[in-house]
Amino acid sequence: QWAHIFPEGRVVQTAQLARDPITKRSEREEKEKGRLKWGVGKLIAHAPVPPVVVPFYHLGMASVLPQHNVWSEDGKEFRNGVVSWKNIRAGNRVKVWFGDPVEGFAELIAKHEQRHGPLWKMDTAPTEPRWDSLMKQWESSRAEKELYSALTRQVEAALLKLERKAKLELVGNNQTDFQAACPRALAALPPGIAKRAP
């Protein structure tokens, strides 16, 4: 059984991993936290069995569901209107690259458990726990957050490697008719971020 996770936690159409003009992290935040959300690291840490994590990277959705960079406030809730689901553009190509399974998780988890004790693991048995007790279980200590960060950076490194491979392949095959990024999303990126693109 597979679970597909997009650890950016948002729409990104800049062809730069987890760098978008609306919810971007600052340069300082990228250095401290990395580009991805730590939830993927949390899932890996508390999985009942060691998961096989296969990175995949796709380009071309910018031509199917182009980004329009709108962030509107609806009453007290912010609603991310980044893409228009009513304007799907059929007939465009989306390319997907798959990498080798990410390694190094077991060592990081073992090191953490040697210092801080065993991590709790998700229960695979069907249960109906109280919401408040379930949320309390997911609260994290500072040491656990450091572990999630380290695990997530392993995933980030694998995705950046795949991103470089994808771009080199597109350039090498001279695929000039393929839209890898949304021009409006790229134009909205700060110059410093754009220059740091891999």
Side-chain angles (χ1 to χ4, degrees):
Q1 296 182 356
W2 291 95
H4 295 183
I5 298 169
F6 291 86
E8 300 98 324
R10 57 196 181 276
V11 174
V12 178
Q13 291 192 356
T14 58
Q16 299 175 38
L17 181 68
R19 285 178 173 164
D20 68 296
I22 296 175
T23 57
K24 60 187 177 296
R25 284 180 171 167
S26 67
E27 185 175 1
R28 180 182 58 80
E29 287 174 322
E30 272 195 12
K31 287 179 180 176
E32 290 178 359
K33 300 179 181 179
R35 296 195 197 182
L36 306 180
K37 302 291 187 182
W38 292 352
V40 64
K42 196 167 192 174
L43 290 174
I44 293 167
H46 299 292
V49 294
V52 177
V53 179
V54 178
F56 69 94
Y57 184 87
H58 66 84
L59 290 172
M61 283 301 293
S63 60
V64 179
L65 280 169
Q67 189 168 354
H68 55 69
N69 301 332
V70 174
W71 185 269
S72 57
E73 186 177 354
D74 184 13
K76 293 183 179 178
E77 261 184 281
F78 284 99
R79 182 167 44 86
N80 192 347
V82 175
V83 296
S84 176
W85 299 100
K86 295 179 182 179
N87 299 316
I88 297 175
R89 298 178 181 176
N92 291 289
R93 288 185 300 151
V94 176
K95 292 179 68 72
V96 184
W97 291 262
F98 291 89
D100 296 324
V102 184
E103 298 179 346
F105 300 137
E107 293 84 353
L108 289 169
I109 291 172
K111 185 177 178 182
H112 172 89
E113 291 185 324
Q114 284 172 2
R115 295 184 62 189
H116 305 284
L119 289 161
W120 66 268
K121 300 297 179 182
M122 287 181 275
D123 188 0
T124 57
T127 58
E128 293 185 13
R130 287 173 52 87
W131 180 255
D132 54 353
S133 62
L134 183 63
M135 289 299 97
K136 188 168 183 61
Q137 184 180 32
W138 280 98
E139 290 177 1
S140 305
S141 67
R142 182 174 180 176
E144 286 173 332
K145 289 178 182 178
E146 289 174 359
L147 172 64
Y148 306 152
S149 176
L151 294 169
T152 303
R153 284 185 184 271
Q154 295 286 98
V155 176
E156 180 179 315
L159 286 171
L160 286 171
K161 181 179 177 182
L162 209 52
E163 178 178 78
R164 287 188 291 272
K165 177 182 177 182
K167 291 179 179 180
L168 285 171
E169 184 180 309
L170 289 176
V171 172
N173 293 337
N174 196 27
Q175 295 184 8
T176 54
D177 61 330
F178 182 77
Q179 185 179 351
C182 172
R184 284 172 292 183
L186 280 176
L189 280 177
I193 291 286
K195 289 176 184 176
R196 294 199 310 273

